[in-house]
PDB file of all heavy atoms in Angstrom:
ATOM      1  N   THR A  26     -13.153  15.357  -7.797  1.00  0.00           N
ATOM      2  CA  THR A  26     -13.160  15.047  -9.229  1.00  0.00           C
ATOM      3  C   THR A  26     -13.928  16.089 -10.033  1.00  0.00           C
ATOM      4  O   THR A  26     -13.793  16.142 -11.253  1.00  0.00           O
ATOM      5  CB  THR A  26     -13.785  13.663  -9.460  1.00  0.00           C
ATOM      6  OG1 THR A  26     -15.077  13.614  -8.853  1.00  0.00           O
ATOM      7  CG2 THR A  26     -12.911  12.573  -8.854  1.00  0.00           C
ATOM      8  N   THR A  27     -14.734  16.898  -9.352  1.00  0.00           N
ATOM      9  CA  THR A  27     -15.442  18.012  -9.983  1.00  0.00           C
ATOM     10  C   THR A  27     -15.371  19.210  -9.051  1.00  0.00           C
ATOM     11  O   THR A  27     -15.670  19.095  -7.861  1.00  0.00           O
ATOM     12  CB  THR A  27     -16.918  17.670 -10.257  1.00  0.00           C
ATOM     13  OG1 THR A  27     -16.985  16.492 -11.059  1.00  0.00           O
ATOM     14  CG2 THR A  27     -17.606  18.812 -11.005  1.00  0.00           C
ATOM     15  N   VAL A  28     -14.977  20.360  -9.604  1.00  0.00           N
ATOM     16  CA  VAL A  28     -14.847  21.574  -8.796  1.00  0.00           C
ATOM     17  C   VAL A  28     -15.642  22.698  -9.473  1.00  0.00           C
ATOM     18  O   VAL A  28     -15.481  22.933 -10.676  1.00  0.00           O
ATOM     19  CB  VAL A  28     -13.373  21.994  -8.647  1.00  0.00           C
ATOM     20  CG1 VAL A  28     -13.261  23.281  -7.819  1.00  0.00           C
ATOM     21  CG2 VAL A  28     -12.561  20.875  -7.991  1.00  0.00           C
ATOM     22  N   SER A  29     -16.494  23.338  -8.705  1.00  0.00           N
ATOM     23  CA  SER A  29     -17.246  24.501  -9.202  1.00  0.00           C
ATOM     24  C   SER A  29     -16.764  25.738  -8.458  1.00  0.00           C
ATOM     25  O   SER A  29     -16.809  25.785  -7.217  1.00  0.00           O
ATOM     26  CB  SER A  29     -18.748  24.304  -8.987  1.00  0.00           C
ATOM     27  OG  SER A  29     -19.231  23.210  -9.739  1.00  0.00           O
ATOM     28  N   LEU A  30     -16.298  26.728  -9.219  1.00  0.00           N
ATOM     29  CA  LEU A  30     -15.767  27.948  -8.626  1.00  0.00           C
ATOM     30  C   LEU A  30     -16.502  29.162  -9.191  1.00  0.00           C
ATOM     31  O   LEU A  30     -16.992  29.134 -10.318  1.00  0.00           O
ATOM     32  CB  LEU A  30     -14.265  28.082  -8.942  1.00  0.00           C
ATOM     33  CG  LEU A  30     -13.335  26.948  -8.491  1.00  0.00           C
ATOM     34  CD1 LEU A  30     -11.940  27.197  -9.035  1.00  0.00           C
ATOM     35  CD2 LEU A  30     -13.316  26.841  -6.975  1.00  0.00           C
ATOM     36  N   VAL A  31     -16.558  30.189  -8.391  1.00  0.00           N
ATOM     37  CA  VAL A  31     -16.971  31.486  -8.915  1.00  0.00           C
ATOM     38  C   VAL A  31     -15.693  32.270  -9.196  1.00  0.00           C
ATOM     39  O   VAL A  31     -14.606  31.911  -8.743  1.00  0.00           O
ATOM     40  CB  VAL A  31     -17.896  32.226  -7.927  1.00  0.00           C
ATOM     41  CG1 VAL A  31     -19.187  31.450  -7.725  1.00  0.00           C
ATOM     42  CG2 VAL A  31     -17.200  32.460  -6.598  1.00  0.00           C
ATOM     43  N   ASN A  32     -15.849  33.346  -9.974  1.00  0.00           N
ATOM     44  CA  ASN A  32     -14.676  34.141 -10.326  1.00  0.00           C
ATOM     45  C   ASN A  32     -13.924  34.596  -9.082  1.00  0.00           C
ATOM     46  O   ASN A  32     -14.519  34.902  -8.039  1.00  0.00           O
ATOM     47  CB  ASN A  32     -15.095  35.364 -11.144  1.00  0.00           C
ATOM     48  CG  ASN A  32     -15.461  34.980 -12.566  1.00  0.00           C
ATOM     49  OD1 ASN A  32     -14.994  33.961 -13.074  1.00  0.00           O
ATOM     50  ND2 ASN A  32     -16.297  35.790 -13.210  1.00  0.00           N
ATOM     51  N   ARG A  33     -12.583  34.583  -9.233  1.00  0.00           N
ATOM     52  CA  ARG A  33     -11.677  35.066  -8.192  1.00  0.00           C
ATOM     53  C   ARG A  33     -11.681  34.203  -6.932  1.00  0.00           C
ATOM     54  O   ARG A  33     -11.415  34.672  -5.845  1.00  0.00           O
ATOM     55  CB  ARG A  33     -12.004  36.534  -7.840  1.00  0.00           C
ATOM     56  CG  ARG A  33     -11.849  37.484  -9.013  1.00  0.00           C
ATOM     57  CD  ARG A  33     -12.262  38.911  -8.666  1.00  0.00           C
ATOM     58  NE  ARG A  33     -13.660  38.969  -8.307  1.00  0.00           N
ATOM     59  CZ  ARG A  33     -14.114  39.545  -7.196  1.00  0.00           C
ATOM     60  NH1 ARG A  33     -13.285  40.114  -6.342  1.00  0.00           N
ATOM     61  NH2 ARG A  33     -15.411  39.584  -6.945  1.00  0.00           N
ATOM     62  N   THR A  34     -12.015  32.914  -7.094  1.00  0.00           N
ATOM     63  CA  THR A  34     -11.867  31.965  -5.989  1.00  0.00           C
ATOM     64  C   THR A  34     -10.834  30.911  -6.383  1.00  0.00           C
ATOM     65  O   THR A  34     -10.443  30.802  -7.547  1.00  0.00           O
ATOM     66  CB  THR A  34     -13.196  31.267  -5.643  1.00  0.00           C
ATOM     67  OG1 THR A  34     -13.682  30.558  -6.792  1.00  0.00           O
ATOM     68  CG2 THR A  34     -14.232  32.270  -5.179  1.00  0.00           C
ATOM     69  N   ALA A  35     -10.413  30.158  -5.400  1.00  0.00           N
ATOM     70  CA  ALA A  35      -9.399  29.134  -5.639  1.00  0.00           C
ATOM     71  C   ALA A  35      -9.717  27.895  -4.794  1.00  0.00           C
ATOM     72  O   ALA A  35     -10.424  27.977  -3.788  1.00  0.00           O
ATOM     73  CB  ALA A  35      -8.006  29.661  -5.302  1.00  0.00           C
ATOM     74  N   TYR A  36      -9.179  26.779  -5.240  1.00  0.00           N
ATOM     75  CA  TYR A  36      -9.338  25.543  -4.477  1.00  0.00           C
ATOM     76  C   TYR A  36      -8.078  24.699  -4.653  1.00  0.00           C
ATOM     77  O   TYR A  36      -7.565  24.535  -5.765  1.00  0.00           O
ATOM     78  CB  TYR A  36     -10.564  24.750  -4.934  1.00  0.00           C
ATOM     79  CG  TYR A  36     -10.739  23.451  -4.170  1.00  0.00           C
ATOM     80  CD1 TYR A  36     -11.184  23.478  -2.855  1.00  0.00           C
ATOM     81  CD2 TYR A  36     -10.425  22.218  -4.749  1.00  0.00           C
ATOM     82  CE1 TYR A  36     -11.326  22.297  -2.135  1.00  0.00           C
ATOM     83  CE2 TYR A  36     -10.564  21.049  -4.038  1.00  0.00           C
ATOM     84  CZ  TYR A  36     -11.011  21.093  -2.721  1.00  0.00           C
ATOM     85  OH  TYR A  36     -11.144  19.940  -1.994  1.00  0.00           O
ATOM     86  N   ASP A  37      -7.609  24.153  -3.541  1.00  0.00           N
ATOM     87  CA  ASP A  37      -6.398  23.329  -3.547  1.00  0.00           C
ATOM     88  C   ASP A  37      -6.801  21.861  -3.671  1.00  0.00           C
ATOM     89  O   ASP A  37      -7.273  21.256  -2.706  1.00  0.00           O
ATOM     90  CB  ASP A  37      -5.611  23.570  -2.249  1.00  0.00           C
ATOM     91  CG  ASP A  37      -4.239  22.902  -2.267  1.00  0.00           C
ATOM     92  OD1 ASP A  37      -3.877  22.348  -3.322  1.00  0.00           O
ATOM     93  OD2 ASP A  37      -3.550  22.943  -1.240  1.00  0.00           O
ATOM     94  N   ILE A  38      -6.658  21.311  -4.880  1.00  0.00           N
ATOM     95  CA  ILE A  38      -6.965  19.886  -5.073  1.00  0.00           C
ATOM     96  C   ILE A  38      -5.830  19.060  -4.465  1.00  0.00           C
ATOM     97  O   ILE A  38      -4.669  19.217  -4.841  1.00  0.00           O
ATOM     98  CB  ILE A  38      -7.120  19.540  -6.568  1.00  0.00           C
ATOM     99  CG1 ILE A  38      -8.208  20.398  -7.206  1.00  0.00           C
ATOM    100  CG2 ILE A  38      -7.454  18.061  -6.736  1.00  0.00           C
ATOM    101  CD1 ILE A  38      -8.379  20.161  -8.695  1.00  0.00           C
ATOM    102  N   ASN A  39      -6.178  18.196  -3.559  1.00  0.00           N
ATOM    103  CA  ASN A  39      -5.178  17.355  -2.892  1.00  0.00           C
ATOM    104  C   ASN A  39      -5.298  15.912  -3.347  1.00  0.00           C
ATOM    105  O   ASN A  39      -6.224  15.543  -4.091  1.00  0.00           O
ATOM    106  CB  ASN A  39      -5.328  17.443  -1.378  1.00  0.00           C
ATOM    107  CG  ASN A  39      -4.848  18.778  -0.842  1.00  0.00           C
ATOM    108  OD1 ASN A  39      -3.761  19.223  -1.178  1.00  0.00           O
ATOM    109  ND2 ASN A  39      -5.667  19.428  -0.022  1.00  0.00           N
ATOM    110  N   LEU A  40      -4.372  15.106  -2.874  1.00  0.00           N
ATOM    111  CA  LEU A  40      -4.333  13.683  -3.221  1.00  0.00           C
ATOM    112  C   LEU A  40      -4.552  12.825  -1.986  1.00  0.00           C
ATOM    113  O   LEU A  40      -3.974  13.084  -0.923  1.00  0.00           O
ATOM    114  CB  LEU A  40      -2.988  13.319  -3.847  1.00  0.00           C
ATOM    115  CG  LEU A  40      -2.786  13.774  -5.292  1.00  0.00           C
ATOM    116  CD1 LEU A  40      -1.306  13.867  -5.607  1.00  0.00           C
ATOM    117  CD2 LEU A  40      -3.460  12.813  -6.253  1.00  0.00           C
ATOM    118  N   ASN A  41      -5.394  11.813  -2.141  1.00  0.00           N
ATOM    119  CA  ASN A  41      -5.535  10.789  -1.111  1.00  0.00           C
ATOM    120  C   ASN A  41      -4.538   9.665  -1.390  1.00  0.00           C
ATOM    121  O   ASN A  41      -4.240   9.355  -2.541  1.00  0.00           O
ATOM    122  CB  ASN A  41      -6.951  10.203  -1.126  1.00  0.00           C
ATOM    123  CG  ASN A  41      -8.001  11.238  -0.809  1.00  0.00           C
ATOM    124  OD1 ASN A  41      -7.872  12.024   0.115  1.00  0.00           O
ATOM    125  ND2 ASN A  41      -9.079  11.245  -1.599  1.00  0.00           N
ATOM    126  N   ASP A  42      -4.044   9.032  -0.324  1.00  0.00           N
ATOM    127  CA  ASP A  42      -3.182   7.842  -0.436  1.00  0.00           C
ATOM    128  C   ASP A  42      -1.951   8.093  -1.301  1.00  0.00           C
ATOM    129  O   ASP A  42      -1.651   7.340  -2.243  1.00  0.00           O
ATOM    130  CB  ASP A  42      -3.971   6.643  -0.990  1.00  0.00           C
ATOM    131  CG  ASP A  42      -5.149   6.280  -0.122  1.00  0.00           C
ATOM    132  OD1 ASP A  42      -4.996   6.307   1.113  1.00  0.00           O
ATOM    133  OD2 ASP A  42      -6.215   5.979  -0.670  1.00  0.00           O
ATOM    134  N   LYS A  43      -1.226   9.143  -0.985  1.00  0.00           N
ATOM    135  CA  LYS A  43       0.016   9.411  -1.711  1.00  0.00           C
ATOM    136  C   LYS A  43       1.008   8.267  -1.527  1.00  0.00           C
ATOM    137  O   LYS A  43       1.053   7.633  -0.475  1.00  0.00           O
ATOM    138  CB  LYS A  43       0.642  10.715  -1.213  1.00  0.00           C
ATOM    139  CG  LYS A  43       0.027  11.979  -1.794  1.00  0.00           C
ATOM    140  CD  LYS A  43       0.857  13.193  -1.406  1.00  0.00           C
ATOM    141  CE  LYS A  43       0.359  14.456  -2.098  1.00  0.00           C
ATOM    142  NZ  LYS A  43       1.206  15.623  -1.753  1.00  0.00           N
ATOM    143  N   VAL A  44       1.789   8.027  -2.558  1.00  0.00           N
ATOM    144  CA  VAL A  44       2.818   6.983  -2.518  1.00  0.00           C
ATOM    145  C   VAL A  44       4.181   7.653  -2.425  1.00  0.00           C
ATOM    146  O   VAL A  44       4.497   8.551  -3.210  1.00  0.00           O
ATOM    147  CB  VAL A  44       2.746   6.084  -3.767  1.00  0.00           C
ATOM    148  CG1 VAL A  44       3.880   5.061  -3.758  1.00  0.00           C
ATOM    149  CG2 VAL A  44       1.389   5.391  -3.841  1.00  0.00           C
ATOM    150  N   SER A  45       4.977   7.220  -1.462  1.00  0.00           N
ATOM    151  CA  SER A  45       6.285   7.825  -1.242  1.00  0.00           C
ATOM    152  C   SER A  45       7.174   7.674  -2.473  1.00  0.00           C
ATOM    153  O   SER A  45       7.189   6.623  -3.122  1.00  0.00           O
ATOM    154  CB  SER A  45       6.958   7.176  -0.034  1.00  0.00           C
ATOM    155  OG  SER A  45       8.249   7.691   0.169  1.00  0.00           O
ATOM    156  N   GLY A  46       7.900   8.737  -2.777  1.00  0.00           N
ATOM    157  CA  GLY A  46       8.851   8.689  -3.880  1.00  0.00           C
ATOM    158  C   GLY A  46       8.277   9.034  -5.235  1.00  0.00           C
ATOM    159  O   GLY A  46       8.984   8.958  -6.244  1.00  0.00           O
ATOM    160  N   CYS A  47       6.990   9.413  -5.279  1.00  0.00           N
ATOM    161  CA  CYS A  47       6.360   9.752  -6.562  1.00  0.00           C
ATOM    162  C   CYS A  47       6.626  11.209  -6.946  1.00  0.00           C
ATOM    163  O   CYS A  47       6.918  12.060  -6.102  1.00  0.00           O
ATOM    164  CB  CYS A  47       4.846   9.524  -6.496  1.00  0.00           C
ATOM    165  SG  CYS A  47       4.368   7.795  -6.431  1.00  0.00           S
ATOM    166  N   LYS A  48       6.496  11.483  -8.240  1.00  0.00           N
ATOM    167  CA  LYS A  48       6.566  12.845  -8.758  1.00  0.00           C
ATOM    168  C   LYS A  48       5.182  13.223  -9.282  1.00  0.00           C
ATOM    169  O   LYS A  48       4.498  12.399  -9.896  1.00  0.00           O
ATOM    170  CB  LYS A  48       7.609  12.947  -9.870  1.00  0.00           C
ATOM    171  CG  LYS A  48       9.023  12.634  -9.419  1.00  0.00           C
ATOM    172  CD  LYS A  48       9.995  12.685 -10.594  1.00  0.00           C
ATOM    173  CE  LYS A  48      11.408  12.325 -10.160  1.00  0.00           C
ATOM    174  NZ  LYS A  48      12.354  12.339 -11.304  1.00  0.00           N
ATOM    175  N   TYR A  49       4.768  14.510  -9.053  1.00  0.00           N
ATOM    176  CA  TYR A  49       3.442  14.969  -9.423  1.00  0.00           C
ATOM    177  C   TYR A  49       3.558  16.205 -10.319  1.00  0.00           C
ATOM    178  O   TYR A  49       4.289  17.146  -9.993  1.00  0.00           O
ATOM    179  CB  TYR A  49       2.616  15.302  -8.180  1.00  0.00           C
ATOM    180  CG  TYR A  49       2.504  14.146  -7.214  1.00  0.00           C
ATOM    181  CD1 TYR A  49       3.459  13.950  -6.210  1.00  0.00           C
ATOM    182  CD2 TYR A  49       1.466  13.229  -7.304  1.00  0.00           C
ATOM    183  CE1 TYR A  49       3.364  12.877  -5.338  1.00  0.00           C
ATOM    184  CE2 TYR A  49       1.362  12.160  -6.432  1.00  0.00           C
ATOM    185  CZ  TYR A  49       2.318  11.994  -5.438  1.00  0.00           C
ATOM    186  OH  TYR A  49       2.216  10.939  -4.573  1.00  0.00           O
ATOM    187  N   LYS A  50       2.821  16.194 -11.418  1.00  0.00           N
ATOM    188  CA  LYS A  50       2.814  17.336 -12.327  1.00  0.00           C
ATOM    189  C   LYS A  50       1.367  17.688 -12.650  1.00  0.00           C
ATOM    190  O   LYS A  50       0.604  16.860 -13.150  1.00  0.00           O
ATOM    191  CB  LYS A  50       3.573  17.006 -13.617  1.00  0.00           C
ATOM    192  CG  LYS A  50       3.633  18.169 -14.594  1.00  0.00           C
ATOM    193  CD  LYS A  50       4.371  17.764 -15.864  1.00  0.00           C
ATOM    194  CE  LYS A  50       4.396  18.922 -16.864  1.00  0.00           C
ATOM    195  NZ  LYS A  50       5.080  18.529 -18.128  1.00  0.00           N
ATOM    196  N   TRP A  51       0.991  18.976 -12.360  1.00  0.00           N
ATOM    197  CA  TRP A  51      -0.375  19.445 -12.569  1.00  0.00           C
ATOM    198  C   TRP A  51      -0.423  20.346 -13.800  1.00  0.00           C
ATOM    199  O   TRP A  51       0.442  21.201 -13.997  1.00  0.00           O
ATOM    200  CB  TRP A  51      -0.864  20.232 -11.354  1.00  0.00           C
ATOM    201  CG  TRP A  51      -0.917  19.432 -10.079  1.00  0.00           C
ATOM    202  CD1 TRP A  51       0.113  19.175  -9.232  1.00  0.00           C
ATOM    203  CD2 TRP A  51      -2.067  18.800  -9.523  1.00  0.00           C
ATOM    204  NE1 TRP A  51      -0.316  18.419  -8.171  1.00  0.00           N
ATOM    205  CE2 TRP A  51      -1.653  18.176  -8.322  1.00  0.00           C
ATOM    206  CE3 TRP A  51      -3.406  18.708  -9.906  1.00  0.00           C
ATOM    207  CZ2 TRP A  51      -2.533  17.471  -7.512  1.00  0.00           C
ATOM    208  CZ3 TRP A  51      -4.289  18.005  -9.102  1.00  0.00           C
ATOM    209  CH2 TRP A  51      -3.854  17.382  -7.918  1.00  0.00           C
ATOM    210  N   THR A  52      -1.462  20.158 -14.627  1.00  0.00           N
ATOM    211  CA  THR A  52      -1.658  21.009 -15.804  1.00  0.00           C
ATOM    212  C   THR A  52      -3.134  21.314 -15.996  1.00  0.00           C
ATOM    213  O   THR A  52      -4.002  20.571 -15.506  1.00  0.00           O
ATOM    214  CB  THR A  52      -1.122  20.333 -17.088  1.00  0.00           C
ATOM    215  OG1 THR A  52      -1.786  19.065 -17.262  1.00  0.00           O
ATOM    216  CG2 THR A  52       0.381  20.136 -17.026  1.00  0.00           C
ATOM    217  N   SER A  53      -3.418  22.414 -16.702  1.00  0.00           N
ATOM    218  CA  SER A  53      -4.783  22.788 -17.077  1.00  0.00           C
ATOM    219  C   SER A  53      -4.869  22.847 -18.592  1.00  0.00           C
ATOM    220  O   SER A  53      -3.981  23.391 -19.250  1.00  0.00           O
ATOM    221  CB  SER A  53      -5.154  24.148 -16.480  1.00  0.00           C
ATOM    222  OG  SER A  53      -6.394  24.602 -17.019  1.00  0.00           O
ATOM    223  N   ASN A  54      -5.949  22.294 -19.143  1.00  0.00           N
ATOM    224  CA  ASN A  54      -6.107  22.348 -20.593  1.00  0.00           C
ATOM    225  C   ASN A  54      -6.711  23.673 -21.058  1.00  0.00           C
ATOM    226  O   ASN A  54      -6.799  23.937 -22.259  1.00  0.00           O
ATOM    227  CB  ASN A  54      -6.960  21.182 -21.088  1.00  0.00           C
ATOM    228  CG  ASN A  54      -8.433  21.361 -20.776  1.00  0.00           C
ATOM    229  OD1 ASN A  54      -8.803  22.056 -19.815  1.00  0.00           O
ATOM    230  ND2 ASN A  54      -9.291  20.744 -21.579  1.00  0.00           N
ATOM    231  N   ASN A  55      -7.116  24.501 -20.081  1.00  0.00           N
ATOM    232  CA  ASN A  55      -7.727  25.787 -20.426  1.00  0.00           C
ATOM    233  C   ASN A  55      -7.384  26.810 -19.341  1.00  0.00           C
ATOM    234  O   ASN A  55      -8.235  27.187 -18.533  1.00  0.00           O
ATOM    235  CB  ASN A  55      -9.239  25.631 -20.572  1.00  0.00           C
ATOM    236  CG  ASN A  55      -9.884  26.804 -21.265  1.00  0.00           C
ATOM    237  OD1 ASN A  55      -9.236  27.828 -21.519  1.00  0.00           O
ATOM    238  ND2 ASN A  55     -11.174  26.695 -21.578  1.00  0.00           N
ATOM    239  N   PRO A  56      -6.133  27.250 -19.313  1.00  0.00           N
ATOM    240  CA  PRO A  56      -5.715  28.166 -18.246  1.00  0.00           C
ATOM    241  C   PRO A  56      -6.417  29.528 -18.283  1.00  0.00           C
ATOM    242  O   PRO A  56      -6.364  30.252 -17.295  1.00  0.00           O
ATOM    243  CB  PRO A  56      -4.209  28.303 -18.476  1.00  0.00           C
ATOM    244  CG  PRO A  56      -3.975  27.893 -19.882  1.00  0.00           C
ATOM    245  CD  PRO A  56      -5.021  26.883 -20.207  1.00  0.00           C
ATOM    246  N   GLU A  57      -7.069  29.865 -19.388  1.00  0.00           N
ATOM    247  CA  GLU A  57      -7.824  31.119 -19.432  1.00  0.00           C
ATOM    248  C   GLU A  57      -9.096  31.027 -18.604  1.00  0.00           C
ATOM    249  O   GLU A  57      -9.674  32.046 -18.246  1.00  0.00           O
ATOM    250  CB  GLU A  57      -8.157  31.472 -20.880  1.00  0.00           C
ATOM    251  CG  GLU A  57      -6.927  31.803 -21.730  1.00  0.00           C
ATOM    252  CD  GLU A  57      -7.293  32.165 -23.157  1.00  0.00           C
ATOM    253  OE1 GLU A  57      -8.499  32.066 -23.487  1.00  0.00           O
ATOM    254  OE2 GLU A  57      -6.398  32.534 -23.927  1.00  0.00           O
ATOM    255  N   VAL A  58      -9.530  29.811 -18.312  1.00  0.00           N
ATOM    256  CA  VAL A  58     -10.704  29.607 -17.455  1.00  0.00           C
ATOM    257  C   VAL A  58     -10.264  29.271 -16.035  1.00  0.00           C
ATOM    258  O   VAL A  58     -10.749  29.848 -15.051  1.00  0.00           O
ATOM    259  CB  VAL A  58     -11.598  28.481 -18.015  1.00  0.00           C
ATOM    260  CG1 VAL A  58     -12.707  28.116 -17.019  1.00  0.00           C
ATOM    261  CG2 VAL A  58     -12.204  28.907 -19.338  1.00  0.00           C
ATOM    262  N   ALA A  59      -9.345  28.343 -15.919  1.00  0.00           N
ATOM    263  CA  ALA A  59      -8.836  27.943 -14.599  1.00  0.00           C
ATOM    264  C   ALA A  59      -7.371  27.563 -14.742  1.00  0.00           C
ATOM    265  O   ALA A  59      -7.023  26.708 -15.564  1.00  0.00           O
ATOM    266  CB  ALA A  59      -9.637  26.784 -14.038  1.00  0.00           C
ATOM    267  N   LYS A  60      -6.533  28.192 -13.971  1.00  0.00           N
ATOM    268  CA  LYS A  60      -5.113  27.849 -13.990  1.00  0.00           C
ATOM    269  C   LYS A  60      -4.777  27.036 -12.740  1.00  0.00           C
ATOM    270  O   LYS A  60      -5.499  27.087 -11.735  1.00  0.00           O
ATOM    271  CB  LYS A  60      -4.259  29.106 -14.059  1.00  0.00           C
ATOM    272  CG  LYS A  60      -4.441  30.073 -12.906  1.00  0.00           C
ATOM    273  CD  LYS A  60      -3.609  31.332 -13.108  1.00  0.00           C
ATOM    274  CE  LYS A  60      -3.772  32.297 -11.922  1.00  0.00           C
ATOM    275  NZ  LYS A  60      -2.952  33.528 -12.108  1.00  0.00           N
ATOM    276  N   VAL A  61      -3.680  26.286 -12.816  1.00  0.00           N
ATOM    277  CA  VAL A  61      -3.305  25.417 -11.705  1.00  0.00           C
ATOM    278  C   VAL A  61      -1.813  25.534 -11.462  1.00  0.00           C
ATOM    279  O   VAL A  61      -1.016  25.630 -12.403  1.00  0.00           O
ATOM    280  CB  VAL A  61      -3.698  23.944 -11.988  1.00  0.00           C
ATOM    281  CG1 VAL A  61      -2.980  23.400 -13.208  1.00  0.00           C
ATOM    282  CG2 VAL A  61      -3.450  23.060 -10.771  1.00  0.00           C
ATOM    283  N   ASN A  62      -1.453  25.524 -10.197  1.00  0.00           N
ATOM    284  CA  ASN A  62      -0.041  25.512  -9.836  1.00  0.00           C
ATOM    285  C   ASN A  62       0.533  24.141 -10.213  1.00  0.00           C
ATOM    286  O   ASN A  62       0.030  23.108  -9.757  1.00  0.00           O
ATOM    287  CB  ASN A  62       0.119  25.751  -8.336  1.00  0.00           C
ATOM    288  CG  ASN A  62       1.568  25.902  -7.915  1.00  0.00           C
ATOM    289  OD1 ASN A  62       2.392  25.036  -8.175  1.00  0.00           O
ATOM    290  ND2 ASN A  62       1.870  27.000  -7.243  1.00  0.00           N
ATOM    291  N   PRO A  63       1.571  24.072 -11.052  1.00  0.00           N
ATOM    292  CA  PRO A  63       2.067  22.780 -11.543  1.00  0.00           C
ATOM    293  C   PRO A  63       2.662  21.894 -10.455  1.00  0.00           C
ATOM    294  O   PRO A  63       2.837  20.696 -10.661  1.00  0.00           O
ATOM    295  CB  PRO A  63       3.133  23.181 -12.567  1.00  0.00           C
ATOM    296  CG  PRO A  63       3.566  24.556 -12.173  1.00  0.00           C
ATOM    297  CD  PRO A  63       2.350  25.214 -11.600  1.00  0.00           C
ATOM    298  N   LYS A  64       2.969  22.467  -9.283  1.00  0.00           N
ATOM    299  CA  LYS A  64       3.609  21.691  -8.225  1.00  0.00           C
ATOM    300  C   LYS A  64       2.643  21.200  -7.156  1.00  0.00           C
ATOM    301  O   LYS A  64       2.816  20.103  -6.613  1.00  0.00           O
ATOM    302  CB  LYS A  64       4.718  22.513  -7.573  1.00  0.00           C
ATOM    303  CG  LYS A  64       5.878  22.818  -8.521  1.00  0.00           C
ATOM    304  CD  LYS A  64       6.970  23.583  -7.798  1.00  0.00           C
ATOM    305  CE  LYS A  64       8.155  23.872  -8.731  1.00  0.00           C
ATOM    306  NZ  LYS A  64       9.232  24.621  -8.031  1.00  0.00           N
ATOM    307  N   ASN A  65       1.639  22.024  -6.831  1.00  0.00           N
ATOM    308  CA  ASN A  65       0.811  21.664  -5.671  1.00  0.00           C
ATOM    309  C   ASN A  65      -0.679  21.497  -5.957  1.00  0.00           C
ATOM    310  O   ASN A  65      -1.445  21.182  -5.053  1.00  0.00           O
ATOM    311  CB  ASN A  65       1.002  22.676  -4.542  1.00  0.00           C
ATOM    312  CG  ASN A  65       0.623  24.090  -4.964  1.00  0.00           C
ATOM    313  OD1 ASN A  65      -0.166  24.293  -5.886  1.00  0.00           O
ATOM    314  ND2 ASN A  65       1.201  25.087  -4.280  1.00  0.00           N
ATOM    315  N   GLY A  66      -1.146  21.752  -7.189  1.00  0.00           N
ATOM    316  CA  GLY A  66      -2.547  21.519  -7.518  1.00  0.00           C
ATOM    317  C   GLY A  66      -3.508  22.609  -7.098  1.00  0.00           C
ATOM    318  O   GLY A  66      -4.729  22.394  -7.101  1.00  0.00           O
ATOM    319  N   LEU A  67      -3.023  23.804  -6.757  1.00  0.00           N
ATOM    320  CA  LEU A  67      -3.907  24.906  -6.388  1.00  0.00           C
ATOM    321  C   LEU A  67      -4.545  25.480  -7.654  1.00  0.00           C
ATOM    322  O   LEU A  67      -3.853  25.988  -8.536  1.00  0.00           O
ATOM    323  CB  LEU A  67      -3.131  25.989  -5.647  1.00  0.00           C
ATOM    324  CG  LEU A  67      -3.941  27.218  -5.232  1.00  0.00           C
ATOM    325  CD1 LEU A  67      -5.026  26.844  -4.228  1.00  0.00           C
ATOM    326  CD2 LEU A  67      -3.028  28.305  -4.670  1.00  0.00           C
ATOM    327  N   VAL A  68      -5.878  25.391  -7.725  1.00  0.00           N
ATOM    328  CA  VAL A  68      -6.627  25.843  -8.903  1.00  0.00           C
ATOM    329  C   VAL A  68      -7.214  27.214  -8.614  1.00  0.00           C
ATOM    330  O   VAL A  68      -7.836  27.433  -7.570  1.00  0.00           O
ATOM    331  CB  VAL A  68      -7.752  24.852  -9.253  1.00  0.00           C
ATOM    332  CG1 VAL A  68      -8.554  25.355 -10.457  1.00  0.00           C
ATOM    333  CG2 VAL A  68      -7.180  23.474  -9.527  1.00  0.00           C
ATOM    334  N   THR A  69      -7.052  28.131  -9.572  1.00  0.00           N
ATOM    335  CA  THR A  69      -7.588  29.491  -9.435  1.00  0.00           C
ATOM    336  C   THR A  69      -8.514  29.788 -10.606  1.00  0.00           C
ATOM    337  O   THR A  69      -8.139  29.586 -11.772  1.00  0.00           O
ATOM    338  CB  THR A  69      -6.452  30.524  -9.410  1.00  0.00           C
ATOM    339  OG1 THR A  69      -5.560  30.211  -8.328  1.00  0.00           O
ATOM    340  CG2 THR A  69      -7.005  31.932  -9.219  1.00  0.00           C
TER     341      THR A  69
END
């Protein structure tokens, strides 16, 4: 729920207790600070 990164690092935020048949969409409100892959939650 909280991620601290230094420049040029990344972290893959995962989900616990996934429910079959769901759709997931990832977004960042400030991609100039941290961007996220919209499909898998990888934060850079």
